[in-house]
Amino acid sequence: MSDLITTDDHSDAEILGTVRTPSLTGCPWHDVNEMLQSVGLRPTRQRMALGWLLFGKGDRHLTAEMLYEEAIQAKVPVSLATVYNTLNQLTEAGLLRQVSVDGTKTYFDTNVSDHHHFYLEGNHELVDIPDPHLVLQKMPDVPEGYEIARIDMVVRLRKVR
């Protein structure tokens, strides 16, 4: 890496636009550090602590408020605004996937692979659809000059009455 010295919230890789493959070991603290550095984000104390809460428990679906509550419980000194900023930075960097439900609730998914979700209305819970072979029959025609970036299917479920 270069000998750039940065004084703001951007790392050398953020400025240079470099990305590398993380060397993961299974140790959550080490792996979060590696994940952040691999996408050019500086591993600040707050990013590390929030990343540990996010990625240290396997694949998860969390709102910013849920992560904020976990941080408070874990005695991580962080504001809700910092939680939102960090989640958005991790999403932009490709470490999280944003899934909107109802246009009012946004979940952040630690599983960034292509997959779809069930939304359990009574529990306000988002879960992965386990069928990797789920296929949409026909895609709409895309306007000229555009391409499909991603498809997010959320199947809403409620208890039988």
Side-chain angles (χ1 to χ4, degrees), residues 6-156:
T6 58
T7 56
D8 60 5
D9 201 26
H10 300 286
S11 69
D12 296 352
E14 287 173 307
I15 293 168
L16 298 173
T18 58
V19 176
R20 65 176 174 80
T21 303
S23 171
L24 305 180
T25 65
C27 170
W29 196 255
H30 173 270
D31 290 354
V32 168
N33 184 15
E34 280 291 310
M35 290 167 69
L36 291 171
Q37 289 192 41
S38 75
V39 296
L41 290 172
R42 194 167 28 145
T44 63
R45 280 190 304 255
Q46 290 176 322
R47 284 181 186 152
M48 287 294 295
L50 293 173
W52 184 79
L53 290 171
L54 273 168
F55 300 109
K57 299 176 185 175
D59 290 340
R60 309 181 67 200
H61 304 92
L62 295 166
T63 64
E65 291 78 11
M66 291 164 69
L67 182 59
Y68 176 71
E69 285 302 318
E70 283 190 18
I72 296 301
Q73 292 292 320
K75 308 260 188 274
V76 175
V78 67
S79 69
L80 183 57
T82 298
V83 170
Y84 271 105
N85 289 338
T86 301
L87 289 169
N88 288 324
Q89 290 166 348
L90 295 175
T91 300
E92 272 184 41
L95 296 176
L96 292 175
R97 179 176 173 182
Q98 206 171 14
V99 181
S100 295
V101 178
D102 285 342
T104 58
K105 187 169 282 239
T106 299
Y107 288 85
F108 293 88
D109 190 348
T110 58
N111 176 359
V112 295
S113 69
D114 288 334
H115 67 284
H116 304 291
H117 296 93
F118 287 127
Y119 179 67
L120 309 178
E121 290 182 340
N123 301 358
H124 303 288
E125 185 179 353
L126 196 67
V127 296
D128 292 342
I129 293 177
D131 185 358
H133 305 293
L134 184 67
V135 177
L136 296 175
Q137 194 72 16
K138 181 171 179 343
M139 295 300 298
D141 291 330
V142 177
E144 189 174 325
Y146 290 90
E147 65 182 2
I148 295 173
R150 186 175 92 198
I151 298 171
D152 291 319
M153 183 185 338
V154 177
V155 179
R156 300 174 63 96

